[in-house]
Amino acid sequence: MIDLLFGMSFLIFPFMVTYLLYCANVEIIKLNISNFLLLNLFVFSYFGILPLFYKLDSYRVEMGVTSSETLFTLYLFAMLAISFYALGLMLASRVKVTTDKKLPVFIENDKLIFFIMACSLPLFAATIYSYVSSLKSVALFIALQLVSGDSMLSRSDMSNGFDGYHWFKLINQDVLIFMLLWSYAKTFSNSSFNYIFYILLLMATFSVILTTEKAPFIWLIASLFAVKVFIKNDRMPPLKSLLIFGSFSVLVMTAFYASFMNMGFDRLGDAFFSIFSRLFAGSIQPAYHYLDYFSVNNYLLGASFPNPGGLLPFNNFYLTQEIMDFVKPSNALLGIKGTMPTVFWGEAYANFGTLGVMFISFIIAFSLKCVDNYFDGRNLSSVGLALYVWIIFHF
């Protein structure tokens, strides 16, 4: 009986949320922060529950995702989070941010912008060189069989096990990608920026695939696609372009899985199905383990939140690492510092339980929709557009 109830409600719920947002005059087909996050909530924390519940994903079953009761509870939390997120969107859509549409965020000066971008190139190059030269091994080189070694251990040493990795990520992923988006926006009005754009694209691509993580490269291409949608299509992604981008992403991810996960190109079928397992279940599976972990442990009451410099009166609880050690205790013996992040409401539950899921989902939706309302009333320049797209993908 529970299987039938689950299947029916699973199919009905997305249409119900969409209809309620439509009735509340929330434009959900426009590309902005809150809409993109809503799409991600469905893709990364909702749709993947179906194959997990019916045990269609053999890889996740082998990893212990087998309890129908826990999965049904997970499904209820996913619906609860999306419902309160939708409520936040509906209420925030009534908030009007008054701005002067004729006033650009930034006065365009192509010579100055070109100078700023040109001066940033040595900084990014030096940061990449400094980072790579300080590593014992590089996961990308191992995966491509340019050198020998354990790519999983190398990936751990390059990220969680690397002191100061957050500084490298800040400069050569966050700032670098922002500059890449800015240069791409400028190419539509001034072809002189093409050269800088291609150099930044090469740097950014190398930077995001160094650890053999696959999703960051797709997000990078998707953010460039978003810039084009803003400029050419007034925030309304054309169906044809979406299909082309989707097909390209699947091909790239298949190649990445074949190369980086030691599957080989003779197992492209396995690589292809691994993409969909990772896409739909890879982010919701950790939430399953969060429910298991906090069924026997107390809620954190904010202990997983950042505590910069230890200024606040609590010791930071490294939630994603703790859950990984809980699921795979053998990693610690192998020296692998893995993490198991999940959708934001998973951390809200870990800290404050059911009320945390409801409250945090509502607050995030309301806040981001207000930011959208602000940007909707602006005449964005190239830097404003780059900043806005960067914010969309950051959240």
Side-chain angles (χ1 to χ4, degrees):
M1 187 62 173
I2 191 174
D3 289 3
L4 179 62
L5 288 174
F6 169 78
M8 291 178 61
S9 61
F10 185 90
L11 295 174
I12 293 171
F13 179 70
F15 293 102
M16 183 182 71
V17 171
T18 303
Y19 179 72
L20 289 174
L21 290 172
Y22 172 78
C23 292
N25 295 319
V26 178
E27 295 182 287
I28 59 174
I29 61 171
K30 181 178 287 188
L31 179 59
N32 59 30
I33 307 169
S34 53
N35 288 347
F36 191 63
L37 182 51
L38 177 62
L39 173 64
N40 278 266
L41 278 173
F42 275 112
V43 171
F44 296 114
S45 74
Y46 185 83
F47 294 141
I49 298 176
L50 183 70
L52 293 179
F53 188 85
Y54 291 115
K55 298 179 176 58
L56 302 176
D57 190 331
S58 58
Y59 174 72
R60 308 293 166 182
V61 171
E62 290 174 4
M63 293 185 69
V65 184
T66 56
S67 171
S68 297
E69 290 183 5
T70 304
L71 285 166
F72 191 75
T73 304
L74 184 66
Y75 169 61
L76 295 178
F77 276 121
M79 286 201 302
L80 191 66
I82 292 173
S83 298
F84 274 84
Y85 185 89
L87 179 61
L89 293 185
M90 287 187 282
L91 293 180
S93 65
R94 309 299 184 201
V95 178
K96 302 300 180 183
V97 181
T98 304
T99 57
D100 182 358
K101 292 188 177 182
K102 296 181 180 179
L103 180 64
V105 175
F106 183 82
I107 302 299
E108 297 283 358
N109 184 324
D110 284 4
K111 289 184 179 180
L112 176 61
I113 295 172
F114 191 92
F115 176 77
I116 293 172
M117 291 181 180
C119 289
S120 72
L121 296 178
L123 169 66
F124 298 134
T127 306
I128 292 176
Y129 176 79
S130 175
Y131 172 66
V132 172
S133 62
S134 64
L135 296 170
K136 295 178 182 177
S137 61
V138 178
L140 177 64
F141 299 161
I142 295 174
L144 296 178
Q145 299 182 351
L146 300 177
V147 296
S148 60
D150 185 333
S151 61
M152 290 298 294
L153 182 59
S154 176
R155 176 173 169 173
S156 171
D157 292 339
M158 292 175 68
S159 51
N160 300 315
F162 186 82
D163 235 3
Y165 177 70
H166 60 285
W167 290 113
F168 170 78
K169 187 175 182 300
L170 173 65
I171 296 173
N172 266 57
Q173 290 188 22
D174 295 335
V175 178
L176 173 54
I177 289 175
F178 167 74
M179 295 296 287
L180 174 67
L181 298 177
W182 191 9
S183 67
Y184 185 53
K186 289 302 300 178
T187 62
F188 287 90
S189 60
N190 188 335
S191 59
S192 299
F193 286 88
N194 286 338
Y195 301 105
I196 286 186
F197 164 70
Y198 287 120
I199 294 173
L200 289 171
L201 179 60
L202 287 173
M203 286 183 172
T205 299
F206 181 68
S207 180
V208 299
I209 67 173
L210 264 176
T211 61
T212 66
E213 291 179 280
K214 295 159 286 295
F217 176 73
I218 298 300
W219 288 124
L220 172 67
I221 301 302
S223 63
L224 294 173
F225 174 71
V227 170
K228 185 175 181 180
V229 168
F230 268 83
I231 295 175
K232 295 291 188 180
N233 305 105
D234 193 26
R235 303 192 186 193
M236 302 293 185
L239 179 59
K240 181 181 177 181
S241 298
L242 287 173
L243 292 174
I244 292 173
F245 171 74
S247 302
F248 169 79
S249 298
V250 169
L251 288 173
V252 170
M253 291 294 283
T254 301
F256 278 6
Y257 266 90
S259 302
F260 296 165
M261 305 302 288
N262 297 320
M263 288 185 172
F265 285 90
D266 56 333
R267 295 175 57 196
L268 288 180
D270 292 340
F272 179 79
F273 286 110
S274 294
I275 294 171
F276 292 94
S277 173
R278 179 64 184 87
L279 176 65
F280 294 114
S283 293
I284 195 61
Q285 180 202 340
Y288 175 96
H289 300 302
Y290 280 48
L291 294 182
D292 271 352
Y293 183 91
F294 289 100
S295 66
V296 295
N297 291 280
N298 294 327
Y299 296 127
L300 302 179
L301 303 178
S304 71
F305 295 167
N307 187 5
L311 297 176
L312 301 176
F314 68 88
N315 293 322
N316 186 259
F317 185 89
Y318 295 100
L319 178 61
T320 59
Q321 293 184 27
E322 181 67 27
I323 297 298
M324 175 60 85
D325 292 341
F326 173 71
V327 177
K328 292 185 176 181
S330 60
N331 278 359
L333 299 175
L334 297 173
I336 298 175
K337 295 182 179 180
T339 60
M340 193 166 275
T342 190
V343 61
F344 68 81
W345 60 255
E347 184 172 4
Y349 173 79
N351 282 279
F352 306 112
T354 304
L355 290 177
V357 174
M358 297 160 60
F359 180 75
I360 297 296
S361 298
F362 175 84
I363 290 298
I364 286 179
F366 189 89
S367 303
L368 295 184
K369 184 61 177 175
C370 287
V371 175
D372 282 328
N373 294 344
Y374 171 79
F375 276 97
D376 280 342
R378 306 292 290 186
N379 181 21
L380 296 177
S381 64
S382 59
V383 69
L385 173 57
L387 175 63
Y388 189 43
V389 171
W390 186 92
I391 292 174
I392 290 174
F393 282 85
H394 172 76
F395 283 105

